[in-house]
C-alpha cells in the first residue's frame, strides 16, 4: 500500500485542524438556550437565620427558587453516586455509559437506559424535555459538550440541581428541601440528600399512595452505594434507613405583606431580611388574638412592627391582620407601610428637638389655656385646661394645647424639615400647608417609619448612635445624623416612662412592675387611626389599629385599642434593662421649683439635668420681687416708708394661666392687692395687667346669630382677674356697659365690623381687646 505523500498528509492535518477549530468555535460561540438566562423564579423571603418567612410562586405556577450558590457536600455526593459517577472526568458525554446503554437496550428490545450524563440531563431540562428521539439525543449531546465547555463542572451541578423536578410543581433543590424537610439544603441529612438525589428520576413517587415503597427502596439502595464508596459508615447507614419518607409541607406565610412590599423593588428572587421567624410567628398569633377582640368593637385591621435596638433591625413585621370582610377592609394592603394620620405620636420628637436645641427644659411650664391661632383652636382630650403645666407632664399626658404652643415656638417649617431629615417620607406638602396641626395628626406617617424613629430615639439614648433602621440583612443603609442627641433622647424617654395613659391605668400598673417602658399613644381626628409606640431597653414596638377602608370606629383610641396589644407584646418579648442616664451627654442646671426656668435669685431652686450641648438661657419670668406693708398689702416707695416695707419673692403666672392653674394647685397664691393709697402710683410702676380676656381670643372673628325675634344675638365675653374680689367696669367702643364682681362675664351685642372692648378694674388698671363681628 502506497504511503500518502507529504503534501497529502499536510492537507489531512489541516482539514482535521479546521474541523477541530470549527467544533471549538461552535462550542464557544453558538448561543446557549435562553432559558439559562431567563428562568422565572419564585420569590422567597428568608429571616436572619435563613429560614423561610413567605414565598410567592413563579409565573408558571412552579415552586422554583433561586439556585444555591454551591451544592451541599452530602447532596452532591449522593447525586453523583446515583446519576453520574464519572461526571468529574467526562466532557459532557460519557462514551462508556452510552455503550452500556446501547447494549442494554439491544438486549431488552426496547429503551431501558439512556446513558445520559448529568450534563445531558441539564441540556434536556434547558430544552423543556423534548421527545427522546435519536435526533434529539444528538442535539442533547452537542449541547452537553457546549455546556461543559462554557460553564464548567460546578456551575453545571448547580444549574441541574436548581432545575430538576422534585414532584408536583416543586422544582429545584432549595424548594424541595424546604417543602419536604423544612430546612435549608445545607442542613440535609444523608437520608434526605439521598432521597432528593433519586427523586428527579421518578418525581411522581413522592406523592402519597403512589408506590412510595418503591421510592424508599431506591433511596436505601443509594445509601448502600454511599456506604460502599466509604462516604458513610455502617452506623450512619443504619440510622439513615430508619428515617421515614417526608410529606409535602406548605411553605410558611409569616409575613406576606412585607414580601409584597419588598418584592416590588427586589433585584433578586431571594430576599434576605432581618426578621426572626420564631418571633414573627408568636407576634402573628398575639396580633390575631387581639384582632378578634377588636373586631367586636368595629376595628377590623391591625399592624405591628418590632425593632431591635442592638442593631436597629426589624425583628417582626405584621403588615395587616384583618378580621371581617377581607375585601372591604383591604386585607391585602400592607398597612404598616402605608401613610395614616399620625395623631399625637409626633409630640415626643418635637419635645426631644426642643430639649436638644435649648428651647425647653423638662420642668419648664408651658401654657395650657384656651388658644386660638388664626381660627385654629386646639383642645385637650378631656376638654379641660390646666393653666400651665411642666413640659414633661404635658408630653406624658399628651396634652394638645401645650404641644401646639410648643410647635408655634419651635416653628412649623423647622419641625417639618427635621422630620423629613429623620426619615419621614410622607411629608409631601409644604410646611405652611400642614400648619400647627402637624403635631396633632395633620400629617400622615407610616407605622414602619414612625416605629423606626422611636427606635432611633432609644438607640441614641443607649449608645449615642442612631443609624437608620433596616429590614434587609444584605443592605447596610448609609449613616445619617440623628438630630436628637443622647442626653435629649434619654430625657424624652424618661418623660414617657412613668405616667399611665387614660383608660389603661389599671393595665399599666400590671406591666410597670415587670419592666420599664416609655410609650406614647395617639388617636387621629375622626377616630380612624389608633397608635401605640413604645420602647423598653432592647425593643421598640409599634402598633396601629383601625379600619383599612378609613371607616371610623366609636371605640377606637390609642390607649384602649392599640396599647393593650403593645403591652402584651412587651410581655412576650420579656423585660430588658433600662438605659442608664448618659451623664457624659448631660449637664446640671439650677431652675426654679415652681416653673422650671433658670433661677434668677428670686425663687427656690433645684438641680435638673439638661442636654450637654443645649443652651437654654431663659431666666424665670414668673417670679417677682414685691414689697408689702405689715398687713401684707402691696406698697411702693411712693406711698410707704422704705423702712416699713418688707420684700418678698412671689411666684405669679399671667392672669389667664393663673385662673386655671389654681384649680389644680390650691397652694398657689395670687399677688396681694395694692393698698388703696398706692394704686395710682402702681399703675405707672407695673407693666403687667392683672386681668385677661379668656374668650374671645385676640383678633377673633365672631359670628353672632340672629334670634327668633329677628334681633341679633350676643356673644358671652369672659374675663379673669388676679384678685377674687376685683370689680370690673365694661366699655364697648367707649360706651359704658356695666359692672361685674367676682365672676366677670358679659353678653355683648354688636353690629358687623371691628370693635374695641375696654375693661377697667377698681384700682384703675385698664385692658383693651379688639374683635370683629362677621356679617350674615
Amino acid at each position: 500500500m502506497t504511503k500518502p505523500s507529504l503534501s497529502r498528509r499536510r492537507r489531512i492535518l489541516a482539514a482535521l485542524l479546521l474541523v477541530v477549530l470549527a467544533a471549538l468555535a461552535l462550542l464557544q460561540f453558538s448561543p446557549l438556550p435562553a432559558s439559562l438566562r431567563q428562568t422565572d423564579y419564585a420569590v422567597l423571603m428568608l429571616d436572619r437565620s435563613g429560614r423561610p418567612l413567605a414565598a410567592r410562586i413563579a409565573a408558571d405556577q412552579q415552586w422554583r427558587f433561586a439556585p444555591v450558590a454551591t451544592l451541599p457536600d452530602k447532596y452532591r455526593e449522593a447525586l453523583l453516586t446515583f446519576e453520574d459517577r464519572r461526571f468529574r472526568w467526562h466532557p459532557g458525554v460519557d462514551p462508556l455509559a452510552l455503550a452500556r446503554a446501547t447494549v442494554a437496550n439491544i438486549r431488552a428490545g426496547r429503551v431501558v437506559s439512556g446513558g445520559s450524563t448529568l450534563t445531558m440531563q441539564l441540556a434536556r431540562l434547558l430544552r423543556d424535555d423534548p421527545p427522546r428521539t435519536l435526533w434529539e439525543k444528538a442535539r442533547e449531546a452537542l449541547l452537553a459538550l457546549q455546556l461543559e465547555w462554557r460553564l464548567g463542572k460546578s456551575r453545571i451541578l448547580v444549574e441541574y440541581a436548581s432545575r430538576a423536578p422534585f414532584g408536583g410543581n416543586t422544582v429545584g433543590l432549595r424548594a424541595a428541601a424546604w417543602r419536604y424537610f423544612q430546612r435549608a439544603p445545607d442542613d440535609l441529612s444523608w437520608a434526605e440528600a439521598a432521597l432528593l438525589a433519586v427523586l428527579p428520576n421518578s418525581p411522581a413517587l413522592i406523592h402519597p399512595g403512589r408506590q412510595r415503597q418503591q421510592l424508599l427502596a431506591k433511596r436505601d439502595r443509594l445509601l448502600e452505594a454511599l456506604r460502599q464508596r466509604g462516604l458513610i459508615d455502617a452506623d450512619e447507614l443504619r440510622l439513615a434507613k430508619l428515617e421515614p419518607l417526608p410529606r409535602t409541607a406548605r411553605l410558611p406565610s409569616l409575613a406576606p405583606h412585607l414580601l409584597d412590599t419588598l418584592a416590588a423593588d427586589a433585584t433578586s428572587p431571594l430576599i434576605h431580611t432581618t426578621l426572626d421567624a420564631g418571633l414573627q410567628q408568636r407576634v402573628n398569633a398575639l396580633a390575631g388574638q387581639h384582632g378578634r377582640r377588636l373586631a367586636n368593637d368595629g376595628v377590623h385591621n391591625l399592624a405591628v412592627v418590632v425593632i431591635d435596638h442592638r442593631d436597629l433591625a426589624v425583628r417582626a413585621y405584621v403588615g395587616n391582620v384583618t378580621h371581617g370582610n377581607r375585601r372591604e377592609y383591604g386585607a391585602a394592603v400592607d398597612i404598616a407601610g402605608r401613610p395614616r394620620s399620625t395623631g399625637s405620636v409626633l409630640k415626643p420628637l418635637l419635645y426631644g428637638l426642643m430639649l436638644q436645641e435649648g428651647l425647653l427644659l423638662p420642668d419648664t411650664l408651658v401654657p395650657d389655656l384656651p388658644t386660638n391661632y388664626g381660627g385654629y383652636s386646639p383642645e385637650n382630650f378631656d376638654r379641660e385646661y390646666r393653666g400651665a403645666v411642666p413640659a414633661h407632664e404635658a408630653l406624658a399626658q399628651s396634652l394638645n394645647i401645650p404641644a401646639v404652643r410648643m410647635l408655634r415656638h419651635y416653628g412649623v417649617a423647622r419641625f417639618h424639615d427635621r422630620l423629613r431629615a429623620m426619615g419621614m417620607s410622607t411629608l409631601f406638602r409644604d410646611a405652611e400647608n400642614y400648619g400647627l396641626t402637624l403635631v396633632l395628626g395633620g400629617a400622615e406617617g407610616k407605622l414602619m417609619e414612625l416605629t423606626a424613629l422611636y427606635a432611633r430615639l432609644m438607640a441614641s439614648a443607649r449608645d449615642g448612635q442612631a443609624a437608620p433602621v433596616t429590614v434587609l440583612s444584605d443592605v447596610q443603609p448609609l449613616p445619617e445624623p440623628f438630630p436628637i442627641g443622647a442626653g435629649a433622647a434619654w430625657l424624652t424617654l424618661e418623660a414617657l416612662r412613668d405616667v399611665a395613659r387614660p383608660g389603661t391605668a389599671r393595665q399599666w400598673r400590671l406591666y410597670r412592675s415587670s419592666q420599664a417602658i416609655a410609650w406614647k399613644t395617639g388617636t387621629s381626628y375622626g377616630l380612624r387611626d389608633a397608635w401605640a409606640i413604645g420602647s423598653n431597653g432592647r425593643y421598640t414596638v409599634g402598633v396601629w389599629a383601625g379600619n383599612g377602608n378609613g371607616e371610623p370606629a366609636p371605640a377606637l383610641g390609642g390607649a384602649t385599642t392599640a396599647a393593650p396589644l403593645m403591652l402584651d407584646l412587651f410581655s412576650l418579648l420579656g423585660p430588658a434593662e433600662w438605659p442608664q442616664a448618659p451623664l457624659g451627654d448631660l449637664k446640671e442646671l439650677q431652675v426654679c421649683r415652681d416653673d422650671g426656668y433658670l433661677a434668677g435669685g428670686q425663687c427656690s431652686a433645684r438641680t435638673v439635668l439638661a442636654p450637654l450641648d443645649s443652651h437654654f438661657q431663659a431666666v424665670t419670668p414668673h417670679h417677682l420681687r414685691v414689697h408689702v406693708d405689715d398687713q401684707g398689702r402691696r406698697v411702693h416707695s411712693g406711698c410707704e416708708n422704705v423702712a416699713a416695707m418688707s420684700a418678698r419673692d412671689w411666684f405669679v403666672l399671667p392672669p389667664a394661666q393663673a385662673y386655671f392653674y389654681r384649680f389644680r394647685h390650691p397652694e398657689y397664691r395670687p399677688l396681694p392687692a395694692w393698698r388703696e393709697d398706692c394704686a395710682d402710683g402702681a399703675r405707672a410702676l407695673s407693666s403687667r395687667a392683672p386681668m385677661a380676656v379668656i374668650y374671645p381670643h385676640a383678633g377673633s372673628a365672631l359670628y353672632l346669630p340672629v334670634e327668633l325675634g329677628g334681633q341679633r344675638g350676643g356673644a358671652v365675653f369672659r374675663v379673669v382677674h388676679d384678685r377674687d374680689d376685683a370689680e370690673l367696669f365694661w366699655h364697648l367702643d367707649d360706651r359704658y356697659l356695666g359692672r361685674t364682681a367676682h365672676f366677670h362675664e358679659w353678653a355683648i351685642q354688636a353690629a358687623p365690623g371691628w370693635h374695641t372692648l375696654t375693661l377697667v378694674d377698681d384700682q384703675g388698671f385698664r385692658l383693651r381687646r379688639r374683635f370683629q363681628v362677621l356679617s350674615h
Side-chain angles (χ1 to χ4, degrees), residues 697-716:
H697 309 290
S700 294
L702 305 179
Y703 178 80
L704 302 183
V706 176
E707 297 179 350
L708 293 177
Q711 297 179 339
R712 187 179 299 276
V716 177

Side-chain angles (χ1 to χ4, degrees), residues 491-741:
L491 291 171
T492 301
L493 293 167
E494 283 292 298
L496 296 172
R497 177 178 168 183
D498 290 326
V499 181
R501 308 303 185 273
T504 60
R506 179 178 179 276
Q507 187 175 16
W508 176 234
R509 283 196 295 270
L510 298 176
Y511 284 89
R512 66 185 301 180
S513 61
S514 63
Q515 60 175 305
I517 304 172
W519 55 297
K520 182 75 185 71
T521 60
T523 307
S524 69
Y525 178 78
L527 303 178
R528 288 177 170 83
D529 305 276
W531 304 81
I533 308 177
S535 301
N536 67 4
R538 177 172 172 182
Y539 293 103
T540 291
V541 175
V543 175
W544 174 91
N547 290 317
N549 60 1
E551 176 184 300
L556 193 72
T560 56
T561 305
L565 172 55
M566 182 201 70
L567 294 173
D568 279 351
L569 287 167
F570 276 117
S571 290
L572 174 69
L573 295 167
E577 183 179 357
W578 188 256
Q580 297 294 318
L583 297 179
D585 293 285
L586 294 166
K587 62 184 176 183
E588 293 184 345
L589 294 178
Q590 295 294 309
V591 301
C592 295
R593 293 181 181 275
D594 296 313
D595 65 5
Y597 283 86
L598 296 179
Q602 299 176 351
C603 66
S604 173
R606 69 186 189 93
T607 302
V608 299
L609 295 174
L612 179 64
D613 51 355
S614 65
H615 301 285
F616 184 79
Q617 299 177 339
V619 178
T620 176
H622 300 134
H623 288 83
L624 299 178
R625 180 67 56 84
V626 299
H627 296 87
V628 297
D629 62 12
D630 56 358
Q631 295 183 30
R633 296 171 297 182
R634 287 186 72 182
V635 295
H636 54 80
S637 59
C639 62
E640 180 61 273
N641 189 319
V642 174
M645 297 188 300
S646 59
R648 297 184 186 179
D649 293 323
W650 210 282
F651 172 55
V652 56
L653 292 170
Q657 294 183 37
Y659 173 78
F660 296 104
Y661 185 85
R662 54 203 283 189
F663 289 113
R664 295 172 181 266
H665 299 271
E667 75 282 2
Y668 179 80
R669 295 290 179 266
L671 280 171
W674 289 98
R675 200 171 68 192
E676 290 183 0
D677 60 325
C678 298
D680 290 340
R683 291 195 296 273
L685 293 172
S686 177
S687 60
R688 176 184 177 277
M691 57 190 138
V693 178
I694 298 296
Y695 181 84
H697 309 290
S700 294
L702 305 179
Y703 178 80
L704 302 183
V706 176
E707 297 179 350
L708 293 177
Q711 297 179 339
R712 187 179 299 276
V716 177
F717 282 58
R718 187 179 181 189
V719 179
V720 295
H721 198 282
D722 279 345
R723 292 173 20 237
D724 290 339
D725 61 348
E727 292 185 343
L728 295 186
F729 302 92
W730 297 66
H731 304 78
L732 180 64
D733 299 330
D734 297 325
R735 176 171 59 89
Y736 177 67
L737 298 179
R739 178 181 67 88
T740 57

Side-chain angles (χ1 to χ4, degrees), residues 208-463:
R210 296 187 182 181
Q211 299 176 305
R212 285 170 65 84
Q213 286 304 314
Q214 182 181 342
L215 178 62
L216 183 64
K218 293 182 70 171
R219 183 202 71 176
D220 290 349
R221 284 196 298 272
L222 176 55
L223 289 171
E224 293 280 1
L226 292 171
R227 170 73 181 94
Q228 293 171 8
R229 292 185 61 198
L231 294 171
I232 59 177
D233 59 30
D235 289 337
E236 288 176 312
L237 173 63
R238 180 174 53 83
L239 293 174
K241 285 185 174 182
L242 293 176
E243 293 186 28
L245 294 181
R247 303 286 182 180
T248 304
R250 292 176 61 88
L251 288 165
S253 183
L254 298 177
H257 299 93
L258 180 61
L259 173 65
D260 290 342
T261 297
L262 296 180
D265 298 319
T267 57
S268 167
L270 199 60
I271 301 174
H272 297 270
T273 74
T274 62
L275 273 62
D276 182 298
L279 178 61
Q280 177 74 21
Q281 193 167 16
R282 295 193 296 274
V283 172
N284 281 344
L286 192 55
Q289 294 173 17
H290 280 262
R292 287 187 288 274
R293 170 182 62 84
L294 293 174
N296 296 326
D297 296 328
V299 179
H300 298 280
N301 299 85
L302 277 175
V304 178
V305 173
V306 178
I307 298 173
D308 192 332
H309 304 146
R310 296 177 304 171
D311 54 1
L312 285 173
V314 179
R315 291 286 179 261
Y317 186 105
V318 182
N320 189 349
V321 173
T322 306
H323 289 278
N325 187 312
R326 296 179 60 81
R327 180 183 295 274
E328 180 180 356
Y329 294 107
V333 176
D334 180 9
I335 294 182
R338 294 293 181 89
R340 305 292 302 199
S341 175
T342 57
S344 298
V345 294
L346 298 181
K347 290 177 183 175
L349 302 174
L350 173 62
Y351 178 87
L353 288 168
M354 294 186 73
L355 288 177
Q356 180 67 39
E357 298 177 32
L359 300 175
L360 197 70
L361 293 176
D363 292 332
T364 304
L365 287 183
V366 182
D368 179 23
L369 67 165
T371 299
N372 181 284
Y373 293 122
Y376 174 55
S377 297
E379 291 184 332
N380 294 326
F381 65 91
D382 57 5
R383 306 295 178 90
E384 295 183 2
Y385 306 101
R386 291 150 182 81
V389 61
H392 73 87
E393 188 176 325
L395 175 61
Q397 296 186 17
S398 196
L399 300 178
N400 292 336
I401 294 172
V404 169
R405 286 178 168 267
M406 289 165 60
L407 178 57
R408 188 168 187 267
H409 178 43
Y410 186 77
V412 175
R414 189 177 181 183
F415 188 46
H416 178 271
D417 291 345
R418 292 288 191 276
L419 290 174
R420 294 185 65 180
M422 285 191 284
M424 274 193 71
S425 64
T426 52
L427 300 178
F428 57 89
R429 291 180 280 158
D430 293 336
E432 309 84 60
N433 195 284
Y434 293 106
L436 294 171
T437 66
L438 177 59
V439 77
L440 297 185
E444 292 183 328
K446 301 176 183 179
L447 177 66
M448 177 65 219
E449 292 181 352
L450 294 174
T451 308
L453 289 180
Y454 276 66
R456 295 182 73 186
L457 191 69
M458 175 57 83
S460 181
R462 277 171 41 105
D463 309 314

